[in-house]
């Protein structure tokens, strides 16, 4: 049964939307730390800079491209959350990053210890948002589908497919002159355990729902 065919509760919809907003806040905090974001966000930020457009518009364009692949090869992963995430995250990041940067000034001017504190804040915030979003089980974001699609069509383990897509985006970002730093590595190693932690402690209890494993 596809995600679109599921009976959806208001609690799950609210949880999904809250998760997307919290993810956006977390990415904004990562961006402010100036130590690097998760690989796809870092790549989108660099492309937005190069093209002279807002992050929201760039993120939307990238997700349209990824969604075309998802629509063609992985329709079972499409749901309401696919569109809310794909359309909204970039604009949410900008909405929160601008006032944070205006209020605190450049994070790099405050020194590495302060930058690391911002990263330490960004990790659990982003993980909480991702946990709510994933637990709501209302569709996979277009970028997240790439690793699932690779798993489905190549039969490699999901972990390896995810590492490949993240590493490819990080490499492309670096080749384009974007920021790939300590924060990128911290994302790679820390977000997963924190998401799993929040799944059982918060999301499954709040949403009163536990998704089946894909």
């Amino acid at each position: 049964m596809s995600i679109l065919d599921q009976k959806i509760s208001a609690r799950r919809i609210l949880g999904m939307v809250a998760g997307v907003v919290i993810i956006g806040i977390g990415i904004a905090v990562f961006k402010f730390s100036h130590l690097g974001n998760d690989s796809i966000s870092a790549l989108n930020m660099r492309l937005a800079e190069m093209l002279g457009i807002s992050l929201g518009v760039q993120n939307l364009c990238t997700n349209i491209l990824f969604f075309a692949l998802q629509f063609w090869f992985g329709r079972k992963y499409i749901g309401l959350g696919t569109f809310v995430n794909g359309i909204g995250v970039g604009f949410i990041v900008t909405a929160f990053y601008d006032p944070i940067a205006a209020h605190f000034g450049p994070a790099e001017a405050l020194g590495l210890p302060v930058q690391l504190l911002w990263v330490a804040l960004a990790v659990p915030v982003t993980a909480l948002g991702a946990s709510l979003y994933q637990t709501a089980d209302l569709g996979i974001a277009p970028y997240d589908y790439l690793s699932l699609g690779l798993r489905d069509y190549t039969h490699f383990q999901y972990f390896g497919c995810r590492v490949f897509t993240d590493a490819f985006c990080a490499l492309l970002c670096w080749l384009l002159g974007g920021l790939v730093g300590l924060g990128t590595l911290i994302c790679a190693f820390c977000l997963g355990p924190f998401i799993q932690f929040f799944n059982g402690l918060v999301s499954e209890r709040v949403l009163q729902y536990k998704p089946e494993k894909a």
Side-chain angles (χ1 to χ4, degrees), residues 114-163:
V114 176
Q115 290 176 274
L116 289 173
L117 284 175
W118 280 101
V119 171
L121 174 63
V123 168
V125 171
T126 306
L128 174 60
S131 174
L132 285 168
Y133 176 79
Q134 293 176 9
T135 302
D137 194 27
L138 295 178
I140 301 299
Y143 173 73
D144 293 331
Y145 165 71
L146 296 182
S147 50
L148 286 170
L150 280 174
R151 182 201 63 182
D152 292 346
Y153 283 92
T154 65
H155 304 295
F156 286 112
Q157 293 294 320
Y158 171 77
F159 177 79
C161 294
R162 184 71 194 211
V163 169

Side-chain angles (χ1 to χ4, degrees), residues 4-204:
L4 290 172
D5 294 329
Q6 294 180 8
K7 183 177 181 180
I8 302 173
S9 69
R11 186 184 294 267
R12 285 169 61 198
I13 294 174
L14 290 174
M16 177 271 293
V17 173
V20 171
V21 172
I22 295 171
I23 289 171
I25 295 172
I27 294 173
V29 175
F30 265 120
K31 182 181 180 182
F32 177 73
S33 75
H34 206 69
L35 289 177
N37 279 83
D38 63 282
S39 56
I40 185 59
S41 296
L43 177 59
N44 276 325
M45 289 173 191
R46 180 54 183 159
L47 289 173
E49 292 171 357
M50 294 176 66
L51 296 173
I53 59 179
S54 71
L55 176 60
V57 173
Q58 171 56 45
N59 187 76
L60 180 59
C61 292
T62 302
N63 277 319
I64 289 174
L65 174 62
F66 293 155
F67 178 75
L69 294 173
Q70 186 177 7
F71 182 80
W72 190 262
F73 296 106
R75 295 184 188 181
K76 66 179 181 179
Y77 295 113
I78 296 174
L80 178 62
T82 304
F83 300 100
V84 174
N85 186 307
I87 296 172
V89 166
F91 296 102
I92 294 169
V93 172
T94 301
F96 282 95
Y97 172 78
D98 289 345
I100 291 173
H103 182 76
F104 291 99
E108 56 268 33
L110 303 175
L112 182 59
V114 176
Q115 290 176 274
L116 289 173
L117 284 175
W118 280 101
V119 171
L121 174 63
V123 168
V125 171
T126 306
L128 174 60
S131 174
L132 285 168
Y133 176 79
Q134 293 176 9
T135 302
D137 194 27
L138 295 178
I140 301 299
Y143 173 73
D144 293 331
Y145 165 71
L146 296 182
S147 50
L148 286 170
L150 280 174
R151 182 201 63 182
D152 292 346
Y153 283 92
T154 65
H155 304 295
F156 286 112
Q157 293 294 320
Y158 171 77
F159 177 79
C161 294
R162 184 71 194 211
V163 169
F164 173 78
T165 56
D166 286 349
F168 181 80
C169 288
L171 176 62
L172 186 56
C173 177
W174 179 74
L175 290 173
L176 293 174
L179 177 61
V180 177
L182 182 59
T184 309
L185 294 175
I186 292 174
C187 276
F189 289 101
C190 295
L191 281 181
F194 269 94
I195 290 171
Q196 186 174 9
F197 170 76
F198 283 122
N199 283 347
L201 182 68
V202 178
S203 301
E204 291 173 5

